[in-house]
Amino acid sequence: TSPESDGSTPELEKAGLLNKTKIAEGGRKLRKNWSPSWVVLVGNSLVFFKDPKSQTPSSWKPGNSCPESSVDLRGAQLQWTNDLSSKKNVFKLRTVTGNEFLLQSETDSVIREWFNTIHKVIDKLDRE
Ligand code: I3P
């Protein structure tokens, strides 16, 4: 049985600090506003927390702090992008509902790990 099918807490896959900006909501373009975000990949969702300074890897747990927003990865699309930002190491995440986010890290290995891990989750959901 998968971690979620027995009703237990979904598995924490990854957590860390990334720069984030939302660039579209329901397909409508938004003005960019980059800010650091504590990002947690848990189960089928990417969850964003504000105020990363006050976050620890355990503080995402239900009741400990309130997420700013979360993204359902089912049907989502992930792609590296050079043209949507002047920053390096940027990828775009697009949800089925037409919300688009850019995620970025100055550290090559960090952003590569995030890309690969999110990609695996999306691929797994595509095969279900
Ligand atoms: C934006 C801000 C962003 C920049 C964006 C600017 O200006 O400088 O950091 O995106 O570029 O428009 P403002 O703060 O006035 O909204 P990048 O850092 O990702 O390049 P863009 O308009 O070319 O997307």
Side-chain angles (χ1 to χ4, degrees):
T1 61
S2 79
E4 279 170 289
S5 60
D6 62 2
S8 65
T9 307
E11 193 182 341
L12 174 64
E13 314 246 14
K14 194 169 175 56
L17 193 60
L18 292 176
N19 292 315
K20 184 197 82 167
T21 183
K22 193 174 187 178
I23 58 166
E25 162 103 45
R28 251 191 58 229
K29 202 166 177 288
L30 295 176
R31 181 165 177 187
K32 258 190 207 164
N33 184 17
W34 285 102
S35 61
S37 181
W38 184 259
V39 184
V40 176
L41 178 61
V42 59
N44 303 342
S45 298
L46 206 58
V47 188
F48 301 118
F49 292 86
K50 267 183 176 165
D51 191 18
K53 287 183 288 295
S54 71
Q55 299 296 334
T56 65
S58 63
S59 63
W60 64 273
K61 282 173 183 156
N64 286 7
S65 70
C66 183
E68 182 188 19
S69 62
S70 77
V71 164
D72 183 358
L73 292 175
R74 194 178 290 276
Q77 295 173 339
L78 197 63
Q79 64 187 83
W80 292 108
T81 172
N82 291 312
D83 358 302
L84 294 178
S85 174
S86 61
K87 300 180 195 302
K88 67 166 186 175
N89 297 340
V90 178
F91 64 73
K92 182 175 88 171
L93 176 66
R94 185 186 194 283
T95 69
V96 278
T97 56
N99 293 343
E100 296 183 4
F101 300 85
L102 300 183
L103 293 169
Q104 190 264 351
S105 168
E106 287 302 311
T107 310
D108 300 14
S109 57
V110 167
I111 200 69
R112 227 180 306 119
E113 277 180 27
W114 273 102
F115 184 92
N116 292 338
T117 308
I118 294 171
H119 211 274
K120 271 184 218 155
V121 173
I122 292 174
D123 282 350
K124 186 198 75 188
L125 293 170
D126 280 348
R127 290 193 305 268
E128 280 177 9

